């Protein structure tokens, strides 16, 4: 297992870092300068939102081709998800919808999303929660970046029932992964010019586990004297988040706390339909909505909010170094968000997905020199 | 016989035996102690109860003093047996004394005992030790929007029932390979059934309509899957209460956008910790919500979010509401309902006065002002205290 010390860091590792440093290389574009990106539609609202993404990309003449791989969540075999993983290995980048995990199936059927993350070693889940100007929320001026360890912790799927009626779930914390994620967090904070990193833990109870995580964060923090480091217990963190979220800047934490804290923050800035998420690994990057909702109850009813998925696709374009396209689509999405009459049901309006997407395309058309009158 | 069949049998035979069943069937039937068969801890000669008081650290001692002051003022027939627990000592003598005192008295009021991170991992959390040794399996926290406190959400009324003894708090960790730590999260069928039963019984007793189980069974299929299954099993026995389940991440998101949809929530230990802190934050902060830990034979009352409050200790700025409301829960447990409602009414009327709000609610009042005002309110309304 390689260790994640900055000096001995192989350049290939830096490639996973989303902000290019010169030695970073985006996935190679094929002949003609077009990129191939794996697309996993998933379940629920995934397919319709990804169709809209494809529509917007085609409209803006984005040089990206999508290789669609379907994953059937009802099957017990892992053939589908293995195909998807192979496709992502081939292309290097993916955009995915959430794949449903049915509780009624046998426990041996692992969560497909989790399998994907662990097989590709997408160790960092980054979510940037910002208050959007056009969306009315109870809290204002939120700007929190959440970096969550994505592969170990409580999501190891290691459980057993040695004695009937007594289940043991293992939560694994390793020094290497903790150092890796802490290093990632501090590097990202430095690059984005952030001032403070908060580690979220429960080391008063899980002394060895979260204690190790906290120690690794402290170790890495000493190498970044320009960034303030503090730690907070997860229950106090959630209470502070609902009363005074403006105090947080960058937060780094193990897997389960990351799940809960990121959902709380998503709720604070306006809901699951607004925030995009990215999963970065050493060699691969997968983009999706931050709160990973399947949205089965609102599927195919033209009421889902496409913002999260479109902003995730903009993050993907940034990753592919297609910055112009990324900013043009992002501006269009954010401008559309300001129009209250286009708000979808989850943010309190009555607009439909189609209207939102069309408004975004109209905005791109009016601003961009790339599309001429159709 | 399983606990469940015993329970149903005892329920069926209850009218015949009039509550004497516990003596016939022994310990297992005692597990399901219905409110009608519950007896409060015995009052000593003179009708006064003895309650263990553990001041703890931080703001604990000063708040405990205020509680004693108030009880004395209202002539509440409760004597406090104070047991100090020194959190900096590595030996477990202090906490064992405290546990013995609680076993003796049956009821306790405690402040939070600090767990120093710098001590070695073999030093267990004292609060956790107390809870597990006394088997205080249910932590109940009732979060209600108080009329005088301005919050972003209104009309919140959530009852959180949290499993208090197992789950992630088993303190079972080991490092087989250097650099790789395994923490065990234990979920057992008996304890899950017990807490689920407690939740539904409490919901029924309080006339609640809905119980939500919070879990993460899509990832922890065996563990939280077992918990969810136990809740579903118990739900079948309570047809008038609707039961649904929600994954913890979605729950926390719903809590910050629309908390009014929740009624009673039941969950394992760690999720309970986080969700209860979120709810406490929603209704106004850690200074307002009391918490109770119930076991089969013992009950311990404390603030809902278990904060030590080291940074505001001894500055007369802590909010005494949570601790005082916890003492009212204590009085209810001892069946001193008249005193409990009198003090509670006084506290709630004081909390509506904005000029008395302490720093955590955005005001500038001091702790002693608040307590004084509560005592004035009691004096003006109560028949028992004469003018001093």
């Amino acid at each position: 297992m390689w260790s994640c010390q900055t000096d001995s860091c192989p350049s290939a590792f830096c490639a996973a870092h989303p902000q290019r440093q010169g030695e970073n290389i985006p996935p190679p574009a094929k002949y003609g300068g077009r990129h191939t990106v794996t697309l996993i539609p998933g379940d629920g609202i995934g397919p319709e939102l990804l169709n809209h993404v494809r529509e917007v990309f085609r409209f803006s003449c984005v040089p990206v081709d999508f290789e669609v791989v379907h994953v059937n969540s009802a099957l017990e075999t892992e053939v589908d998800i293995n195909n998807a993983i192979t496709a992502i290995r081939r292309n290097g980048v993916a955009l995915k919808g959430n794949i449903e995990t049915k509780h009624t199936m046998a426990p041996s059927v692992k969560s497909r999303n989790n399998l994907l993350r662990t097989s590709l070693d997408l160790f960092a889940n980054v979510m940037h929660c910002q208050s959007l100007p056009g969306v009315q929320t109870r809290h204002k001026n939120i700007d929190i970046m959440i970096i969550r360890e994505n592969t170990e912790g409580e999501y190891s799927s290691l459980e057993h029932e040695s004695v009937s009626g007594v289940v043991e779930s293992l939560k694994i914390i390793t020094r290497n992964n903790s150092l890796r994620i802490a290093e990632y967090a501090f590097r990202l904070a430095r690059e984005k010019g952030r001032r403070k990193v908060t580690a979220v833990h429960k080391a008063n109870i899980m002394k060895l586990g979260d204690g190790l995580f906290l120690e690794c964060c402290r170790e890495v923090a000493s190498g970044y004297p320009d960034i303030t480091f503090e730690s907070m217990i997860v229950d106090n963190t959630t209470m502070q988040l609902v009363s005074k979220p403006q105090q947080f800047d960058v937060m780094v934490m193990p897997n389960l706390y990351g799940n809960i804290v990121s959902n709380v923050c998503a709720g604070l800035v306006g809901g699951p339909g607004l925030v995009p998420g990215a999963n970065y690994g050493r060699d691969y990057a997968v983009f999706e909505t931050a709160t990973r909702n399947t949205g089965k109850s609102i599927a195919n009813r033209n009421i889902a909010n496409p913002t999260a998925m479109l902003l995730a696709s903009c993050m993907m374009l940034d990753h592919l170094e297609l910055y112009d396209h990324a900013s043009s689509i992002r501006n269009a999405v954010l401008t559309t968000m300001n129009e209250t009459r286009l708000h979808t049901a989850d943010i309190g309006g009555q607009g439909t997905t189609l209207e939102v997407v069309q408004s975004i395309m109209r905005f791109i058309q009016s601003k961009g020199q790339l599309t001429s009158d159709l | 016989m399983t606990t469940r069949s015993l329970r149903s049998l005892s329920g069926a035979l209850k009218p015949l035996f009039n509550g004497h069943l516990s003596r016939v069937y022994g310990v297992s039937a005692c597990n399901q102690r219905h409110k009608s068969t519950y007896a409060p801890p015995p009052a000593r000669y003179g009708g006064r109860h003895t309650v263990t008081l553990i001041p703890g650290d931080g703001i604990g001692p000063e708040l405990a003093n205020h509680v004693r002051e108030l009880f004395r003022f209202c002539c509440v027939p409760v004597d406090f047996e104070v047991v100090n627990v020194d959190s900096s000592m590595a030996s477990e003598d202090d906490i064992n004394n405290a546990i013995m005192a609680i076993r003796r008295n049956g009821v306790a009021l405690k402040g939070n005992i600090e767990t120093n991170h710098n001590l070695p991992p073999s030093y267990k959390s004292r609060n956790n030790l107390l809870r597990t040794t006394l088997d205080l399996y249910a932590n109940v926290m009732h979060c209600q929007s108080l009329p005088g406190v301005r919050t972003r959400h209104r009309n919140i009324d959530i009852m959180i029932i949290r499993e208090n003894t197992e789950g992630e708090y088993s303190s079972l960790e080991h490092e087989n390979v250097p650099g790789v730590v395994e923490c065990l999260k234990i979920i057992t069928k008996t304890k899950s059934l017990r807490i689920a039963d407690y939740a539904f019984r409490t919901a029924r007793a309080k006339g609640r309509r809905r119980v939500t189980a919070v879990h993460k069974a899509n990832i922890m299929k065996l563990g939280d899957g077992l918990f969810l299954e136990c809740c579903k099993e118990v739900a079948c026995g309570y047809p008038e209460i609707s039961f649904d389940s929600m994954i913890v991440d979605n729950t926390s998101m719903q809590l910050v956008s629309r908390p009014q949809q929740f009624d009673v929530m039941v969950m394992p230990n760690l999720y309970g910790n986080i969700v209860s802190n979120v709810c406490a934050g929603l209704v106004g902060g850690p200074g307002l919500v009391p918490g109770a830990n119930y076991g089969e034979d013992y009950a311990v009352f404390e603030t809902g979010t278990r904060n030590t409050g080291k940074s505001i200790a001894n500055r007369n700025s802590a909010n005494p509401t949570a601790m005082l409301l916890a003492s009212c829960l204590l009085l209810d447990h001892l069946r001193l309902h008249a005193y409990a409602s009198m003090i509670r009414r006084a506290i709630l009327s004081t909390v509506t006065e904005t000029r008395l709000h302490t720093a955590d609610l955005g005001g500038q009042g001091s702790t002693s002002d608040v307590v004084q005002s509560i005592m004035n309110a009691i004096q003006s309304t109560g028949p028992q205290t004469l003018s001093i």
Side-chain angles (χ1 to χ4, degrees):
Chain A
M1 264 184 140
W2 48 271
S3 91
C4 173
Q5 309 303 323
T6 344
D7 4 72
S8 63
C9 177
S11 61
F13 169 72
C14 301
H17 195 76
Q19 308 315 311
R20 306 305 199 289
Q21 296 293 334
E23 69 265 285
N24 195 2
I25 312 152
K30 287 210 181 145
Y31 184 73
R34 295 182 70 79
H35 297 260
T36 311
V37 168
T38 308
L39 185 76
I40 303 171
D43 300 310
I45 51 174
E48 59 182 285
L49 292 184
L50 289 169
N51 281 339
H52 288 305
V53 169
R54 275 192 282 187
E55 217 176 297
V56 172
F57 273 28
R58 198 171 166 73
F59 185 82
S60 324
C61 304
V62 176
V64 165
D65 292 319
F66 284 111
E67 178 187 351
V68 182
V69 185
H70 289 279
V71 177
N72 189 346
S73 56
L75 296 178
E76 295 208 2
T77 65
E78 294 189 0
V79 175
D80 272 355
I81 193 66
N82 286 336
N83 286 343
I85 291 170
T86 315
I88 301 177
R89 280 193 217 269
R90 203 183 313 129
N91 297 322
V93 187
L95 187 62
K96 73 182 274 283
N98 201 40
I99 305 162
E100 189 192 351
T101 309
K102 288 198 167 58
H103 300 192
T104 48
M105 295 175 86
S108 52
V109 178
K110 298 201 178 126
S111 158
R112 301 288 180 244
N113 304 304
N114 201 16
L115 261 179
L116 203 139
R117 292 191 292 265
T118 48
S119 313
L120 297 171
D121 200 25
L122 302 169
F123 65 90
N125 181 335
V126 179
M127 184 168 132
H128 189 185
C129 289
Q130 264 179 311
S131 298
L132 294 179
V135 179
Q136 238 215 10
T137 50
R138 291 186 176 88
H139 302 264
K140 314 218 181 292
N141 300 327
I142 298 179
D143 192 353
I144 307 176
M145 193 156 242
I146 298 171
I147 294 155
R148 158 191 177 188
E149 213 292 329
N150 217 3
T151 50
E152 60 170 17
E154 297 81 353
Y155 286 47
S156 319
S157 299
L158 294 166
E159 301 180 290
H160 53 264
E161 197 169 350
S162 316
V163 175
S164 141
V166 178
V167 174
E168 291 183 351
S169 298
L170 277 90
K171 163 179 167 166
I172 315 279
I173 302 271
T174 56
R175 191 174 162 73
N176 285 340
N177 286 351
S178 307
L179 282 174
R180 190 167 65 163
I181 192 70
E183 183 64 49
Y184 185 92
F186 277 90
R187 211 144 20 95
L188 195 63
R190 178 174 270 176
E191 252 170 45
K192 305 263 183 186
R194 300 284 194 156
R195 300 259 56 87
K196 190 171 98 172
V197 172
T198 310
V200 179
H201 65 94
K202 187 99 189 136
N204 51 343
I205 299 288
M206 284 175 265
K207 292 166 183 283
L208 285 186
D210 286 351
L212 176 61
F213 181 80
L214 201 54
E215 216 183 280
C216 295
C217 289
R218 287 212 180 103
E219 212 176 296
V220 172
S222 51
Y224 291 81
D226 50 328
I227 299 176
T228 330
F229 172 72
E230 65 174 31
S231 66
M232 204 185 261
I233 300 184
V234 62
D235 53 13
N236 191 22
T237 307
T238 40
M239 187 153 59
Q240 299 288 330
L241 271 172
V242 296
S243 28
K244 216 168 35 98
Q246 295 81 5
Q247 61 179 300
F248 294 105
D249 195 358
V250 178
M251 301 167 82
V252 63
M253 59 202 91
N255 215 331
L256 182 69
Y257 312 145
N259 185 328
I260 297 175
V261 166
S262 59
N263 273 266
V264 172
C265 290
L268 292 175
V269 300
L274 294 179
V275 197
N279 305 286
Y280 294 106
R282 198 179 66 154
D283 309 310
Y284 313 111
V286 176
F287 300 88
E288 55 177 349
T289 62
T291 46
R292 300 174 180 164
N293 299 98
T294 327
K296 268 192 310 175
S297 55
I298 52 170
N300 299 320
R301 279 166 50 186
N302 202 14
I303 49 174
N305 195 338
T307 308
M309 196 57 95
L310 287 167
L311 288 175
S313 61
C314 293
M315 287 178 82
M316 183 187 74
L317 292 174
D318 274 327
H319 182 79
L320 295 174
E321 296 201 351
L322 297 168
Y323 300 118
D324 294 332
H325 288 284
S327 358
S328 98
I329 299 178
R330 189 174 286 130
N331 284 341
V333 171
L334 295 178
T335 317
T336 309
M337 262 304 107
N338 288 339
E339 296 210 33
T340 326
R341 63 172 185 81
L342 286 173
H343 282 182
T344 44
D346 60 313
I347 34 185
Q350 288 164 335
T352 63
T353 318
L354 213 52
E355 281 172 15
V356 178
V357 175
Q358 272 165 359
S359 157
I360 290 169
M361 295 202 287
R362 266 199 304 271
F363 190 83
I364 295 174
Q365 185 175 349
S366 62
K367 289 284 174 201
Q369 59 275 71
L370 299 158
T371 56
S372 48
D373 287 37
L374 289 166
Chain B
M1 290 177 94
T2 64
T3 323
R4 277 188 61 72
S5 53
L6 256 182
R7 210 180 330 121
S8 49
L9 185 58
S10 64
L13 291 173
K14 215 165 143 34
L16 295 177
F17 284 82
N18 270 346
H20 296 307
L21 212 56
S22 47
R23 277 189 261 131
V24 177
Y25 281 92
V27 178
S28 7
C30 282
N31 285 345
Q32 316 305 332
R33 189 182 296 215
H34 295 273
K35 287 242 154 71
S36 53
T37 54
Y38 160 68
R44 293 232 183 118
Y45 184 75
R48 297 182 69 78
H49 296 259
T50 311
V51 170
T52 308
L53 183 70
I54 302 170
D57 300 309
I59 51 174
E62 58 182 285
L63 293 183
N65 282 339
H66 286 303
V67 169
R68 277 193 283 187
E69 209 181 305
L70 190 63
F71 274 25
R72 198 175 167 70
F73 183 82
C74 308
C75 307
V76 175
V78 165
D79 291 319
F80 284 109
E81 177 187 352
V82 180
V83 185
N84 285 308
V85 177
D86 190 352
S87 54
S88 51
M89 306 248 293
S91 81
E92 293 190 0
D93 287 339
D94 272 354
I95 192 69
N96 286 336
N97 287 342
I99 292 172
M100 204 141 50
I102 301 178
R103 287 215 164 102
R104 203 184 312 130
N105 297 322
V107 190
L109 184 65
K110 74 182 272 283
N112 200 40
I113 305 162
E114 187 194 353
T115 309
N116 205 334
H117 299 195
N118 302 324
L119 292 171
S122 55
Y123 176 91
K124 299 201 177 120
S125 157
R126 299 292 181 244
N127 303 304
N128 201 17
L129 258 179
L130 204 141
R131 289 191 295 264
T132 48
T133 320
L134 295 170
D135 200 25
L136 301 168
Y137 65 89
N139 180 335
V140 180
M141 190 165 127
H142 188 185
C143 292
Q144 263 178 314
S145 300
L146 296 179
V149 180
R150 248 186 42 158
T151 50
R152 292 185 177 86
H153 303 263
R154 303 190 195 294
N155 302 324
I156 299 177
D157 192 352
I158 306 176
M159 192 157 242
I160 299 169
I161 293 161
R162 160 190 176 189
E163 214 292 330
N164 217 4
T165 50
E166 59 171 16
E168 297 81 351
Y169 287 48
S170 319
S171 302
L172 293 167
E173 304 179 288
H174 54 263
E175 196 170 352
N176 286 335
V177 176
V180 178
V181 175
E182 288 183 354
C183 301
L184 277 91
K185 161 178 168 164
I186 316 279
I187 302 270
T188 54
K189 194 170 163 78
T190 11
K191 290 194 179 176
S192 306
L193 282 174
R194 190 169 64 163
I195 192 65
D197 197 64
Y198 185 92
F200 277 93
R201 243 184 314 132
T202 310
R204 180 178 266 176
K206 307 256 180 195
R208 299 284 197 158
R209 298 260 58 89
R210 196 173 127 213
V211 172
T212 308
V214 178
H215 64 96
K216 188 102 187 131
N218 50 344
I219 299 290
M220 283 174 266
K221 291 170 183 285
L222 286 185
D224 286 351
L226 176 61
F227 180 82
L228 199 55
E229 224 180 272
C230 294
C231 290
K232 283 190 184 131
E233 213 178 298
V234 172
C236 299
Y238 293 81
E240 80 275 14
I241 298 175
S242 69
F243 171 74
D244 58 349
S245 64
M246 203 183 261
I247 300 183
V248 61
D249 52 12
N250 190 20
T251 307
S252 29
M253 188 154 57
Q254 300 287 336
L255 272 172
V256 295
S257 29
R258 221 169 35 99
Q260 295 79 5
Q261 60 179 299
F262 296 103
D263 193 0
V264 178
M265 301 168 81
V266 62
M267 57 202 94
N269 215 330
L270 182 69
Y271 311 146
N273 183 328
I274 297 174
V275 166
S276 58
N277 272 265
V278 172
C279 291
L282 293 175
V283 300
L288 293 179
V289 195
N293 305 287
Y294 294 107
E296 222 183 290
D297 307 309
Y298 312 110
V300 175
F301 300 88
E302 53 178 351
T303 61
T305 47
R306 303 173 177 168
N307 299 98
T308 327
K310 273 193 304 176
S311 54
I312 52 171
N314 299 320
R315 279 163 47 180
N316 202 16
S317 59
N319 194 338
T321 311
M323 192 60 96
L324 291 170
L325 286 175
S327 62
C328 292
L329 288 177
L330 167 80
L331 293 173
D332 273 323
H333 182 81
L334 294 174
R335 295 208 174 168
L336 297 168
H337 297 298
Y339 291 104
S341 10
M342 175 174 82
I343 297 177
R344 191 174 284 132
R345 248 200 319 266
I347 297 171
L348 295 178
S349 69
T350 305
V351 102
T352 52
E353 294 209 37
T354 325
R355 61 174 183 81
L356 286 172
H357 279 185
T358 44
D360 64 309
L361 295 175
Q364 291 164 335
S366 68
T367 318
S368 38
D369 283 344
V370 177
V371 176
Q372 198 62 50
S373 156
I374 293 172
M375 294 203 287
N376 289 342
I378 293 174
Q379 186 175 347
S380 59
T381 56
Q384 286 142 326
T385 55
L386 309 161
S387 5
I388 297 177

